[in-house]
Amino acid sequence: MCRNIHTLHNFEPAATSDEVHAAALQYVRKIAGTTKPSKANQEAFDHAVHEIAHITQHLLDDLVAVTPPKNREVEAAKARERAIKSGRYAAPAA
């Protein structure tokens, strides 16, 4: 899966339509093998992004969470900490 597609389920606040669209766009880019389709493929590309975003929103609306929602800021801080520990990113200057 694309590294840029993040979990959207069970967060507080809920995923925005922009986040759902961004995930759909990343998915279509990965499947199509291109970040910028040709003019001949633009309509099909855009249609796929729209349809995938639409069905993704339905999925998120229908999923049932059995655990409390995660806090976006806390989860982002955990991800940054993991990235620093792994050496992918430098620690912020103090």
Side-chain angles (χ1 to χ4, degrees), residues 29-82:
R29 285 175 172 171
K30 184 71 166 186
I31 297 301
T34 182
T35 58
K36 179 105 173 92
S38 66
K39 287 181 183 178
N41 292 324
Q42 186 69 54
E43 186 176 339
F45 190 92
D46 292 342
H47 181 72
V49 171
H50 174 77
E51 290 295 314
I52 291 168
H54 180 78
I55 199 67
T56 298
Q57 188 61 63
H58 281 288
L59 172 64
L60 291 172
D61 292 343
D62 293 345
L63 288 173
V64 176
V66 294
T67 59
K70 298 175 199 163
N71 179 288
R72 289 180 181 280
E73 288 79 27
V74 169
E75 295 301 315
K78 288 179 188 177
R80 279 190 299 275
E81 185 63 31
R82 285 191 304 270

Side-chain angles (χ1 to χ4, degrees), residues 7-17 19-20 57 60 68-75:
T7 301
L8 299 177
H9 174 61
N10 201 24
F11 277 95
E12 188 59 43
T16 66
S17 59
E19 290 172 311
V20 171
Q57 188 61 63
L60 291 172
K70 298 175 199 163
N71 179 288
R72 289 180 181 280
E73 288 79 27
V74 169
E75 295 301 315

